[in-house]
Amino acid sequence: MAISLSSRREFLKQAGLLTAWSLTLPQFVVQSRQALAHAPIEGLPDDRILVLVQLAGGNDGLNTLVPYGDDLYYKARPKLSVAPQDVLKIDDYCGFHSEMYALRELWEDGLLSLIQGVGYPNPDRSHFRSTEIWETGSGSEKNIASGWIGRYFDSECSKAVTPTLGVQLGERTAQTFAGDHPRVVTLSNPQLFQFSGGSAREDELAKVHVPSVSANSSLAFLQRTGNDVLSVSRQLSEKVRLQPTTRDYLPYQFSQTLRLVAKMIAAEVPTRVYYVSLPGFDHHATQKMRHAMLLQELSESLSSFVRDLKNLGHLDRTLVVTFSEFGRRVAENQSEGTDHGTANLMFMAGGTSRAGFHGTRSDLSRLDDVGDLHHTTDFRSVYASILKDWLGANPAGILDPSILPMAGILG
Amino acid sequence: MPRNRVHEAQQSGWSSLAARHLLARTGFGFDLEQEEKLAVLSREQAVDQLLEDAQNAPCPTPPEWVKTPWVNTERRYADTSADEFRGKHGATNGRYAREIADLRRWWVNEMMTSPVPLREMMTLFWHGHFASSIGKVLISQAMYEQNATQRKHALGNFRQLLKAMTIDGAMMIYLDLEDSEKTQPNENYARELFELFALGHGHYTQADIREAARALSGWQLNAPPGTALPQRPTNPADNRRFTRDGIVAELVVERHDAGTKTIFGKTGTFGLDEVIELTVNHPACGLFLAEKLASYFGLSDETGRVQQQMAEVFRSTGGEIAPMLRVLFTADEFYTDGSRNRLIKSPVVLWVSTCRQLQLDTTFTRGVNKYLAALGQELFEPPNVKGWPGGETWISAGTLALRYHLTDIVLESKEPPGMDPMGRDRGRPVILPKDPAERAKFLARLEGGMSDGEGMMAPRRGEREAGPAYDVKFSPDKLFPAGIPDSSADLADQLLNRLLVDSPRAELRATAMEAATRNVGPLRVQAVLRLILSSPDYQLT
């Protein structure tokens, strides 16, 4: 929705005149006035960004980072294992899955970090519940409704002036963002913010959103949010749409979604946390080909995204983190698939992440009573480190205070 | 609409607008005919009539696929071959997906057509209160049974409802009660029973939870008594989903902890019935429920007088729900300016009330479900055990933008823009060649001329549900049987009167008149509706 010059002038005039309005003055107006490069979101200490990438369904960590130097791996997976000669070797023990050459290059260029053995005590093997545990950042014994980022927004970003503090790419908002005052925009596609009908339509929408002198606080809230809609609409249709990217992205959803995120970051949309999801990892049967395809998509997409941000000059302020609700059972099942497991690996790139291995790999000779890996790093300590070392927040106010940040993953 | 009707309402406490407010809050929107009928009664008579109708109406016929008794066809035996299992597993999941889609259609159609919408509003309340998600429960029949039980007790007795919910199949799966046995009582259900279902935080201790979990141990889901089951051994390593025979709760004595427990300071060899009694008799229960109901129906009463009175009625009637609602709907506080026209419509209320108020000729389709899910309320899939928090949490810039596209569905029966992701869906699994030149050729073949850049709409993979994504017919004639008014003011006023619960703001009315004036013929109605439905005002009830 392109806005006419006259209505923009009108808009700014109203913005200047009405104090009630200026409380919710769209950030892009402020930014276009100040014309700052990488301006931090008003009310936040810096211009840093977190991009969370969910691998939904439970990614098979053992076939992602393959322990090819361990006989136990081949014993447990007579059909599903990646042959030693196919593994893209990192060291004498492990290497990437054969289709992950793009991420291997990222690794070789010192742009990737791997956190091994990540999980939590008393693991839950339900997708639903384990996803909830990861999204809320709670222990498995507790039901918490708010998400770990939602609590971060509530406790640390109360002064941030932007309706797009969080951006969820996808059809529904992840529980990660749930909080008392969520300021999250969920969109699958920026077309959501296109309103057909030309300037007459824009004008009438603007008219019914002029804040009214009313004691009805709900109406005032809706009018403010309606103005956010109009400002996000302008932002997406102008700056983001025209923003060039520098890398090829695969034509598929996940990749194209990451491309949109790269454009939003480069266009300096005032957003602190993005959330993108790659679904389909739940391979109980005939896993080999489908998992290889997903790993290729993950590898190529992340690599394009990271290198694009680097070229665009935004990688230093963007931390990318992947997670999945659980790994898979060590032993393959009867259907050439794997069942729900426990500990897993996380990827990190960009920002101040330290390239290389972190944490301790889970021991294949010491499995739990179901045949699953024991975790060596609590995912909440990774969260605590992200909160403290990347977002400059106090993790004790957001996560269980007994959880200490994982050392060494972020510089 | 004449301003004096508002004043009239404030003075006498009862008027057409007050009747409209009552109808809109207790049902899904209002219609002018009903409004007139209620307006001639007294407030108390009107409320009593709504409550009686909702309590006495017969329950709707279940969807066709519902089976009584239900036996788990996905049961897996030790001698089930991998191939047999794979085929059956896929087929069952497909069937569950179709059935849950049909269950949503069935329920929303009930909301749209029911002559007693209050009962469906209350069923929706309990659906969010005793939240369970198909995402974990997986079995469509269990979700239907939970819904039917919530409808049966919707305006009945809370004690009976709470007991029925505790041993409801879907709930037992959702909050793990079926896994709770005496050596390792699972506290998940007991905790939520106190915190979310009956008392609220701070009215119990961790010891109460632990003891209640012991008292509730031993319940399992099984086939109904007398069902013939195949005598084949199950594999003990398989998860519950594949080993449970049915979804009827049964107390397995060997798994139940029959010992002495102390809950809320009282001691005994408690089981299910005693836990329910102790919970409902807890002094916090009535007020907890009263506050949740008052908030759901949009009462604004900072003194808490109405909620206190509701709690007293709860206590004196032994947990009856209808008398609590009577207190709420007849209270002066329910009709003050502070309580009116400021409840944000939930996505389901937004959709159903729009269908009812515009008399749309429509049925609930997968497209509408997708729309409601994107607005944050997919039925049978609440975000978590707390249900939908409601209020301002319904609204963000993204969901409000989507609400403003409502007329795409209503007037054109088409999908709002931006609901599908960027890029293409992957079809069958293919691994792309590593060599860049080979890959480019491969992709070109695969994509066949797909353009790069913005607005690249992916053709969606075939969905499990057949039929059109949207099926909506809007007929202006139904709203204007005597013909569409020529005057822009009349047209705008009549549509505003039909759609808003309160007199319109001057700005909205003026803009609506301009929209009518700017257009000609039938487009006038559409233009005014497009404006009203994408106004902040229309989000309120």
Side-chain angles (χ1 to χ4, degrees), chain A residues 141-146, chain B residues 129 162 175 187-206 208-209 264 279 284 288-289 292 384-386:
Chain A
E141 74 291 351
K142 263 191 195 152
N143 281 326
I144 299 182
S146 62
Chain B
H129 184 83
L162 191 63
L175 290 181
E187 296 175 4
N188 203 6
Y189 182 78
R191 181 178 297 108
E192 304 311 0
L193 168 67
F194 295 158
E195 180 182 340
L196 298 178
F197 302 155
L199 304 179
H201 204 72
H203 297 290
Y204 53 88
T205 65
Q206 175 57 32
D208 292 326
I209 293 175
F264 308 142
T279 306
F288 173 77
L289 201 57
K292 198 152 176 198
N384 56 64
V385 65
K386 289 197 176 169

mmCIF file of all heavy atoms in Angstrom, chain A residues 141-146, chain B residues 129 162 175 187-206 208-209 264 279 284 288-289 292 384-386:
data_model
loop_
_atom_site.group_PDB
_atom_site.id
_atom_site.type_symbol
_atom_site.label_atom_id
_atom_site.label_comp_id
_atom_site.label_asym_id
_atom_site.label_seq_id
_atom_site.Cartn_x
_atom_site.Cartn_y
_atom_site.Cartn_z
ATOM 1 N N GLU A 141 9.019 -30.261 34.621
ATOM 2 C CA GLU A 141 8.051 -30.514 35.683
ATOM 3 C C GLU A 141 7.023 -29.392 35.805
ATOM 4 O O GLU A 141 6.099 -29.478 36.584
ATOM 5 C CB GLU A 141 8.782 -30.735 37.019
ATOM 6 C CG GLU A 141 9.367 -29.494 37.684
ATOM 7 C CD GLU A 141 10.561 -28.871 36.949
ATOM 8 O OE1 GLU A 141 11.062 -29.491 35.997
ATOM 9 O OE2 GLU A 141 10.960 -27.753 37.316
ATOM 10 N N LYS A 142 7.195 -28.319 35.017
ATOM 11 C CA LYS A 142 6.331 -27.154 35.197
ATOM 12 C C LYS A 142 5.590 -26.796 33.913
ATOM 13 O O LYS A 142 6.153 -26.901 32.835
ATOM 14 C CB LYS A 142 7.184 -25.946 35.562
ATOM 15 C CG LYS A 142 7.261 -25.677 37.037
ATOM 16 C CD LYS A 142 7.897 -24.317 37.277
ATOM 17 C CE LYS A 142 8.325 -24.153 38.722
ATOM 18 N NZ LYS A 142 9.451 -23.234 38.854
ATOM 19 N N ASN A 143 4.348 -26.353 34.050
ATOM 20 C CA ASN A 143 3.637 -25.762 32.924
ATOM 21 C C ASN A 143 3.675 -24.250 33.070
ATOM 22 O O ASN A 143 3.112 -23.697 34.004
ATOM 23 C CB ASN A 143 2.163 -26.192 32.914
ATOM 24 C CG ASN A 143 1.996 -27.581 32.352
ATOM 25 O OD1 ASN A 143 2.731 -27.995 31.449
ATOM 26 N ND2 ASN A 143 1.046 -28.307 32.889
ATOM 27 N N ILE A 144 4.321 -23.584 32.128
ATOM 28 C CA ILE A 144 4.342 -22.120 32.141
ATOM 29 C C ILE A 144 3.703 -21.668 30.848
ATOM 30 O O ILE A 144 3.969 -22.245 29.797
ATOM 31 C CB ILE A 144 5.796 -21.603 32.234
ATOM 32 C CG1 ILE A 144 6.452 -22.087 33.532
ATOM 33 C CG2 ILE A 144 5.841 -20.092 32.148
ATOM 34 C CD1 ILE A 144 7.867 -21.586 33.708
ATOM 35 N N ALA A 145 2.846 -20.651 30.908
ATOM 36 C CA ALA A 145 2.173 -20.223 29.677
ATOM 37 C C ALA A 145 3.023 -19.243 28.878
ATOM 38 O O ALA A 145 2.955 -19.200 27.664
ATOM 39 C CB ALA A 145 0.821 -19.600 30.005
ATOM 40 N N SER A 146 3.837 -18.445 29.563
ATOM 41 C CA SER A 146 4.578 -17.417 28.838
ATOM 42 C C SER A 146 5.842 -18.000 28.216
ATOM 43 O O SER A 146 6.414 -18.967 28.718
ATOM 44 C CB SER A 146 4.937 -16.276 29.790
ATOM 45 O OG SER A 146 5.769 -16.761 30.818
ATOM 46 N N HIS B 129 -11.508 -23.071 29.076
ATOM 47 C CA HIS B 129 -11.210 -23.242 30.510
ATOM 48 C C HIS B 129 -10.563 -24.605 30.762
ATOM 49 O O HIS B 129 -9.517 -24.700 31.393
ATOM 50 C CB HIS B 129 -12.516 -23.111 31.297
ATOM 51 C CG HIS B 129 -12.337 -23.177 32.784
ATOM 52 N ND1 HIS B 129 -11.971 -22.079 33.525
ATOM 53 C CD2 HIS B 129 -12.446 -24.201 33.671
ATOM 54 C CE1 HIS B 129 -11.881 -22.431 34.809
ATOM 55 N NE2 HIS B 129 -12.163 -23.718 34.918
ATOM 56 N N LEU B 162 -16.689 -30.718 36.699
ATOM 57 C CA LEU B 162 -15.291 -30.891 37.100
ATOM 58 C C LEU B 162 -14.935 -32.366 37.213
ATOM 59 O O LEU B 162 -13.862 -32.800 36.801
ATOM 60 C CB LEU B 162 -15.052 -30.185 38.435
ATOM 61 C CG LEU B 162 -13.594 -30.050 38.871
ATOM 62 C CD1 LEU B 162 -12.808 -29.196 37.893
ATOM 63 C CD2 LEU B 162 -13.505 -29.439 40.272
ATOM 64 N N LEU B 175 -3.301 -34.110 30.008
ATOM 65 C CA LEU B 175 -2.542 -33.787 31.218
ATOM 66 C C LEU B 175 -2.041 -35.037 31.952
ATOM 67 O O LEU B 175 -1.792 -35.010 33.154
ATOM 68 C CB LEU B 175 -3.361 -32.888 32.143
ATOM 69 C CG LEU B 175 -3.575 -31.458 31.609
ATOM 70 C CD1 LEU B 175 -4.372 -30.612 32.595
ATOM 71 C CD2 LEU B 175 -2.236 -30.766 31.301
ATOM 72 N N GLU B 187 1.820 -35.451 38.757
ATOM 73 C CA GLU B 187 1.181 -34.280 39.394
ATOM 74 C C GLU B 187 0.596 -33.293 38.397
ATOM 75 O O GLU B 187 0.013 -32.278 38.791
ATOM 76 C CB GLU B 187 2.212 -33.558 40.279
ATOM 77 C CG GLU B 187 2.688 -34.416 41.423
ATOM 78 C CD GLU B 187 3.795 -33.739 42.231
ATOM 79 O OE1 GLU B 187 4.125 -32.578 41.945
ATOM 80 O OE2 GLU B 187 4.298 -34.393 43.157
ATOM 81 N N ASN B 188 0.780 -33.552 37.117
ATOM 82 C CA ASN B 188 0.399 -32.572 36.107
ATOM 83 C C ASN B 188 -1.075 -32.171 36.223
ATOM 84 O O ASN B 188 -1.417 -30.989 36.289
ATOM 85 C CB ASN B 188 0.687 -33.153 34.714
ATOM 86 C CG ASN B 188 0.866 -32.086 33.670
ATOM 87 O OD1 ASN B 188 0.891 -30.909 33.990
ATOM 88 N ND2 ASN B 188 0.986 -32.495 32.422
ATOM 89 N N TYR B 189 -1.950 -33.173 36.264
ATOM 90 C CA TYR B 189 -3.370 -32.838 36.322
ATOM 91 C C TYR B 189 -3.737 -32.173 37.645
ATOM 92 O O TYR B 189 -4.450 -31.170 37.678
ATOM 93 C CB TYR B 189 -4.258 -34.065 36.088
ATOM 94 C CG TYR B 189 -5.714 -33.648 36.104
ATOM 95 C CD1 TYR B 189 -6.271 -33.034 34.982
ATOM 96 C CD2 TYR B 189 -6.497 -33.758 37.246
ATOM 97 C CE1 TYR B 189 -7.577 -32.562 34.996
ATOM 98 C CE2 TYR B 189 -7.804 -33.288 37.265
ATOM 99 C CZ TYR B 189 -8.334 -32.695 36.140
ATOM 100 O OH TYR B 189 -9.617 -32.216 36.166
ATOM 101 N N ALA B 190 -3.243 -32.726 38.737
ATOM 102 C CA ALA B 190 -3.600 -32.189 40.060
ATOM 103 C C ALA B 190 -3.225 -30.710 40.159
ATOM 104 O O ALA B 190 -3.980 -29.889 40.696
ATOM 105 C CB ALA B 190 -2.912 -32.990 41.154
ATOM 106 N N ARG B 191 -2.063 -30.372 39.607
ATOM 107 C CA ARG B 191 -1.621 -28.972 39.662
ATOM 108 C C ARG B 191 -2.579 -28.066 38.895
ATOM 109 O O ARG B 191 -3.009 -27.039 39.385
ATOM 110 C CB ARG B 191 -0.203 -28.849 39.109
ATOM 111 C CG ARG B 191 0.335 -27.423 39.162
ATOM 112 C CD ARG B 191 1.772 -27.315 38.663
ATOM 113 N NE ARG B 191 2.689 -28.072 39.510
ATOM 114 C CZ ARG B 191 3.273 -29.203 39.159
ATOM 115 N NH1 ARG B 191 3.051 -29.720 37.960
ATOM 116 N NH2 ARG B 191 4.083 -29.826 39.982
ATOM 117 N N GLU B 192 -2.913 -28.478 37.669
ATOM 118 C CA GLU B 192 -3.797 -27.625 36.862
ATOM 119 C C GLU B 192 -5.218 -27.611 37.410
ATOM 120 O O GLU B 192 -5.927 -26.621 37.281
ATOM 121 C CB GLU B 192 -3.796 -28.074 35.402
ATOM 122 C CG GLU B 192 -2.430 -28.130 34.748
ATOM 123 C CD GLU B 192 -1.559 -26.886 34.920
ATOM 124 O OE1 GLU B 192 -1.999 -25.915 35.564
ATOM 125 O OE2 GLU B 192 -0.414 -26.906 34.433
ATOM 126 N N LEU B 193 -5.623 -28.716 38.013
ATOM 127 C CA LEU B 193 -6.943 -28.748 38.648
ATOM 128 C C LEU B 193 -7.071 -27.587 39.630
ATOM 129 O O LEU B 193 -8.056 -26.843 39.624
ATOM 130 C CB LEU B 193 -7.126 -30.090 39.372
ATOM 131 C CG LEU B 193 -8.314 -30.204 40.326
ATOM 132 C CD1 LEU B 193 -9.635 -30.158 39.559
ATOM 133 C CD2 LEU B 193 -8.240 -31.497 41.148
ATOM 134 N N PHE B 194 -6.053 -27.411 40.462
ATOM 135 C CA PHE B 194 -6.109 -26.341 41.458
ATOM 136 C C PHE B 194 -5.833 -24.975 40.827
ATOM 137 O O PHE B 194 -6.560 -24.016 41.050
ATOM 138 C CB PHE B 194 -5.103 -26.599 42.585
ATOM 139 C CG PHE B 194 -5.412 -27.826 43.405
ATOM 140 C CD1 PHE B 194 -4.420 -28.465 44.137
ATOM 141 C CD2 PHE B 194 -6.711 -28.342 43.454
ATOM 142 C CE1 PHE B 194 -4.709 -29.594 44.898
ATOM 143 C CE2 PHE B 194 -7.002 -29.474 44.215
ATOM 144 C CZ PHE B 194 -5.995 -30.102 44.933
ATOM 145 N N GLU B 195 -4.771 -24.918 40.026
ATOM 146 C CA GLU B 195 -4.337 -23.603 39.547
ATOM 147 C C GLU B 195 -5.266 -23.027 38.478
ATOM 148 O O GLU B 195 -5.635 -21.853 38.523
ATOM 149 C CB GLU B 195 -2.907 -23.676 38.988
ATOM 150 C CG GLU B 195 -2.430 -22.318 38.495
ATOM 151 C CD GLU B 195 -1.037 -22.343 37.893
ATOM 152 O OE1 GLU B 195 -0.277 -23.277 38.172
ATOM 153 O OE2 GLU B 195 -0.723 -21.409 37.127
ATOM 154 N N LEU B 196 -5.618 -23.852 37.488
ATOM 155 C CA LEU B 196 -6.314 -23.309 36.321
ATOM 156 C C LEU B 196 -7.798 -23.642 36.266
ATOM 157 O O LEU B 196 -8.577 -22.921 35.655
ATOM 158 C CB LEU B 196 -5.672 -23.846 35.032
ATOM 159 C CG LEU B 196 -4.217 -23.481 34.804
ATOM 160 C CD1 LEU B 196 -3.723 -24.132 33.531
ATOM 161 C CD2 LEU B 196 -4.056 -21.972 34.725
ATOM 162 N N PHE B 197 -8.192 -24.753 36.857
ATOM 163 C CA PHE B 197 -9.570 -25.185 36.667
ATOM 164 C C PHE B 197 -10.496 -24.764 37.790
ATOM 165 O O PHE B 197 -11.696 -24.613 37.578
ATOM 166 C CB PHE B 197 -9.644 -26.711 36.492
ATOM 167 C CG PHE B 197 -8.827 -27.227 35.331
ATOM 168 C CD1 PHE B 197 -8.363 -28.533 35.321
ATOM 169 C CD2 PHE B 197 -8.531 -26.409 34.247
ATOM 170 C CE1 PHE B 197 -7.617 -29.009 34.244
ATOM 171 C CE2 PHE B 197 -7.787 -26.878 33.173
ATOM 172 C CZ PHE B 197 -7.329 -28.181 33.178
ATOM 173 N N ALA B 198 -9.954 -24.605 39.028
ATOM 174 C CA ALA B 198 -10.905 -24.421 40.121
ATOM 175 C C ALA B 198 -10.540 -23.369 41.173
ATOM 176 O O ALA B 198 -11.441 -22.776 41.746
ATOM 177 C CB ALA B 198 -11.139 -25.760 40.820
ATOM 178 N N LEU B 199 -9.262 -23.158 41.441
ATOM 179 C CA LEU B 199 -8.957 -22.310 42.602
ATOM 180 C C LEU B 199 -8.123 -21.076 42.280
ATOM 181 O O LEU B 199 -8.314 -20.026 42.876
ATOM 182 C CB LEU B 199 -8.212 -23.135 43.669
ATOM 183 C CG LEU B 199 -8.917 -24.408 44.155
ATOM 184 C CD1 LEU B 199 -8.048 -25.116 45.185
ATOM 185 C CD2 LEU B 199 -10.288 -24.077 44.739
ATOM 186 N N GLY B 200 -7.189 -21.214 41.381
ATOM 187 C CA GLY B 200 -6.267 -20.112 41.115
ATOM 188 C C GLY B 200 -5.036 -20.211 41.989
ATOM 189 O O GLY B 200 -5.051 -20.829 43.067
ATOM 190 N N HIS B 201 -3.982 -19.574 41.505
ATOM 191 C CA HIS B 201 -2.696 -19.635 42.177
ATOM 192 C C HIS B 201 -2.791 -19.095 43.603
ATOM 193 O O HIS B 201 -3.491 -18.127 43.845
ATOM 194 C CB HIS B 201 -1.695 -18.802 41.374
ATOM 195 C CG HIS B 201 -0.292 -19.219 41.607
ATOM 196 N ND1 HIS B 201 0.232 -20.391 41.119
ATOM 197 C CD2 HIS B 201 0.704 -18.639 42.304
ATOM 198 C CE1 HIS B 201 1.482 -20.512 41.488
ATOM 199 N NE2 HIS B 201 1.807 -19.460 42.208
ATOM 200 N N GLY B 202 -2.077 -19.747 44.516
ATOM 201 C CA GLY B 202 -1.982 -19.207 45.869
ATOM 202 C C GLY B 202 -2.991 -19.783 46.849
ATOM 203 O O GLY B 202 -2.995 -19.412 48.019
ATOM 204 N N HIS B 203 -3.842 -20.682 46.406
ATOM 205 C CA HIS B 203 -4.859 -21.228 47.307
ATOM 206 C C HIS B 203 -4.604 -22.680 47.680
ATOM 207 O O HIS B 203 -5.506 -23.387 48.125
ATOM 208 C CB HIS B 203 -6.245 -21.084 46.682
ATOM 209 C CG HIS B 203 -6.641 -19.664 46.476
ATOM 210 N ND1 HIS B 203 -6.932 -18.811 47.511
ATOM 211 C CD2 HIS B 203 -6.756 -18.924 45.357
ATOM 212 C CE1 HIS B 203 -7.225 -17.617 47.038
ATOM 213 N NE2 HIS B 203 -7.119 -17.654 45.725
ATOM 214 N N TYR B 204 -3.392 -23.137 47.450
ATOM 215 C CA TYR B 204 -3.050 -24.538 47.716
ATOM 216 C C TYR B 204 -1.537 -24.611 47.845
ATOM 217 O O TYR B 204 -0.828 -23.670 47.477
ATOM 218 C CB TYR B 204 -3.531 -25.431 46.563
ATOM 219 C CG TYR B 204 -3.023 -24.921 45.235
ATOM 220 C CD1 TYR B 204 -1.784 -25.326 44.732
ATOM 221 C CD2 TYR B 204 -3.737 -23.970 44.500
ATOM 222 C CE1 TYR B 204 -1.285 -24.810 43.560
ATOM 223 C CE2 TYR B 204 -3.244 -23.452 43.323
ATOM 224 C CZ TYR B 204 -2.019 -23.874 42.857
ATOM 225 O OH TYR B 204 -1.505 -23.351 41.697
ATOM 226 N N THR B 205 -1.062 -25.729 48.364
ATOM 227 C CA THR B 205 0.386 -25.896 48.506
ATOM 228 C C THR B 205 0.864 -27.019 47.589
ATOM 229 O O THR B 205 0.057 -27.786 47.052
ATOM 230 C CB THR B 205 0.749 -26.281 49.950
ATOM 231 O OG1 THR B 205 0.169 -27.583 50.206
ATOM 232 C CG2 THR B 205 0.201 -25.279 50.962
ATOM 233 N N GLN B 206 2.178 -27.116 47.460
ATOM 234 C CA GLN B 206 2.749 -28.216 46.680
ATOM 235 C C GLN B 206 2.367 -29.553 47.329
ATOM 236 O O GLN B 206 2.120 -30.534 46.627
ATOM 237 C CB GLN B 206 4.267 -28.039 46.592
ATOM 238 C CG GLN B 206 5.014 -29.186 45.915
ATOM 239 C CD GLN B 206 4.528 -29.487 44.492
ATOM 240 O OE1 GLN B 206 4.103 -28.594 43.774
ATOM 241 N NE2 GLN B 206 4.575 -30.770 44.114
ATOM 242 N N ASP B 208 -0.458 -30.193 48.817
ATOM 243 C CA ASP B 208 -1.829 -30.489 48.383
ATOM 244 C C ASP B 208 -1.825 -31.130 46.994
ATOM 245 O O ASP B 208 -2.590 -32.071 46.724
ATOM 246 C CB ASP B 208 -2.673 -29.201 48.338
ATOM 247 C CG ASP B 208 -2.926 -28.626 49.734
ATOM 248 O OD1 ASP B 208 -3.066 -29.427 50.680
ATOM 249 O OD2 ASP B 208 -2.984 -27.390 49.848
ATOM 250 N N ILE B 209 -0.972 -30.591 46.110
ATOM 251 C CA ILE B 209 -0.885 -31.149 44.760
ATOM 252 C C ILE B 209 -0.424 -32.597 44.810
ATOM 253 O O ILE B 209 -1.005 -33.483 44.179
ATOM 254 C CB ILE B 209 0.107 -30.321 43.903
ATOM 255 C CG1 ILE B 209 -0.451 -28.915 43.653
ATOM 256 C CG2 ILE B 209 0.411 -31.022 42.581
ATOM 257 C CD1 ILE B 209 0.511 -28.003 42.919
ATOM 258 N N PHE B 264 -5.795 -29.893 51.804
ATOM 259 C CA PHE B 264 -6.395 -28.696 52.418
ATOM 260 C C PHE B 264 -6.654 -28.930 53.904
ATOM 261 O O PHE B 264 -7.700 -28.541 54.450
ATOM 262 C CB PHE B 264 -7.714 -28.302 51.728
ATOM 263 C CG PHE B 264 -7.607 -28.163 50.234
ATOM 264 C CD1 PHE B 264 -8.650 -28.592 49.404
ATOM 265 C CD2 PHE B 264 -6.482 -27.595 49.642
ATOM 266 C CE1 PHE B 264 -8.554 -28.453 48.026
ATOM 267 C CE2 PHE B 264 -6.382 -27.465 48.264
ATOM 268 C CZ PHE B 264 -7.419 -27.893 47.453
ATOM 269 N N THR B 279 -12.282 -29.796 46.417
ATOM 270 C CA THR B 279 -11.936 -28.674 45.544
ATOM 271 C C THR B 279 -13.118 -27.718 45.398
ATOM 272 O O THR B 279 -12.972 -26.500 45.545
ATOM 273 C CB THR B 279 -11.516 -29.203 44.155
ATOM 274 O OG1 THR B 279 -10.487 -30.168 44.330
ATOM 275 C CG2 THR B 279 -11.000 -28.086 43.280
ATOM 276 N N ALA B 284 -12.090 -20.741 47.804
ATOM 277 C CA ALA B 284 -11.641 -19.925 46.666
ATOM 278 C C ALA B 284 -12.350 -20.291 45.366
ATOM 279 O O ALA B 284 -12.284 -19.538 44.394
ATOM 280 C CB ALA B 284 -10.129 -20.087 46.492
ATOM 281 N N PHE B 288 -13.138 -17.759 42.127
ATOM 282 C CA PHE B 288 -12.255 -18.002 40.983
ATOM 283 C C PHE B 288 -13.074 -18.133 39.696
ATOM 284 O O PHE B 288 -12.787 -17.502 38.675
ATOM 285 C CB PHE B 288 -11.437 -19.274 41.230
ATOM 286 C CG PHE B 288 -10.612 -19.700 40.044
ATOM 287 C CD1 PHE B 288 -9.431 -19.041 39.723
ATOM 288 C CD2 PHE B 288 -11.027 -20.758 39.248
ATOM 289 C CE1 PHE B 288 -8.682 -19.431 38.620
ATOM 290 C CE2 PHE B 288 -10.278 -21.156 38.141
ATOM 291 C CZ PHE B 288 -9.111 -20.490 37.829
ATOM 292 N N LEU B 289 -14.113 -18.937 39.791
ATOM 293 C CA LEU B 289 -14.948 -19.172 38.617
ATOM 294 C C LEU B 289 -15.733 -17.909 38.242
ATOM 295 O O LEU B 289 -15.867 -17.559 37.073
ATOM 296 C CB LEU B 289 -15.908 -20.324 38.931
ATOM 297 C CG LEU B 289 -16.491 -21.036 37.733
ATOM 298 C CD1 LEU B 289 -15.391 -21.592 36.847
ATOM 299 C CD2 LEU B 289 -17.408 -22.156 38.221
ATOM 300 N N LYS B 292 -13.579 -15.496 36.379
ATOM 301 C CA LYS B 292 -13.280 -15.914 35.011
ATOM 302 C C LYS B 292 -14.508 -15.716 34.107
ATOM 303 O O LYS B 292 -14.383 -15.255 32.966
ATOM 304 C CB LYS B 292 -12.814 -17.372 35.012
ATOM 305 C CG LYS B 292 -12.105 -17.699 33.739
ATOM 306 C CD LYS B 292 -11.072 -18.781 33.842
ATOM 307 C CE LYS B 292 -10.538 -19.044 32.429
ATOM 308 N NZ LYS B 292 -9.854 -20.308 32.271
ATOM 309 N N ASN B 384 -2.100 -23.538 24.766
ATOM 310 C CA ASN B 384 -1.531 -24.335 25.861
ATOM 311 C C ASN B 384 -2.632 -24.580 26.891
ATOM 312 O O ASN B 384 -3.787 -24.247 26.654
ATOM 313 C CB ASN B 384 -0.311 -23.641 26.493
ATOM 314 C CG ASN B 384 -0.653 -22.241 26.986
ATOM 315 O OD1 ASN B 384 -1.469 -22.078 27.884
ATOM 316 N ND2 ASN B 384 -0.047 -21.237 26.373
ATOM 317 N N VAL B 385 -2.227 -25.153 28.015
ATOM 318 C CA VAL B 385 -3.227 -25.598 28.999
ATOM 319 C C VAL B 385 -4.025 -24.433 29.602
ATOM 320 O O VAL B 385 -5.093 -24.620 30.159
ATOM 321 C CB VAL B 385 -2.542 -26.471 30.083
ATOM 322 C CG1 VAL B 385 -1.549 -25.657 30.879
ATOM 323 C CG2 VAL B 385 -3.550 -27.125 31.001
ATOM 324 N N LYS B 386 -3.520 -23.221 29.462
ATOM 325 C CA LYS B 386 -4.270 -22.083 29.981
ATOM 326 C C LYS B 386 -5.348 -21.604 29.028
ATOM 327 O O LYS B 386 -6.053 -20.635 29.314
ATOM 328 C CB LYS B 386 -3.325 -20.919 30.296
ATOM 329 C CG LYS B 386 -2.463 -21.209 31.508
ATOM 330 C CD LYS B 386 -1.846 -19.953 32.085
ATOM 331 C CE LYS B 386 -1.067 -20.308 33.348
ATOM 332 N NZ LYS B 386 -0.235 -19.223 33.822
#
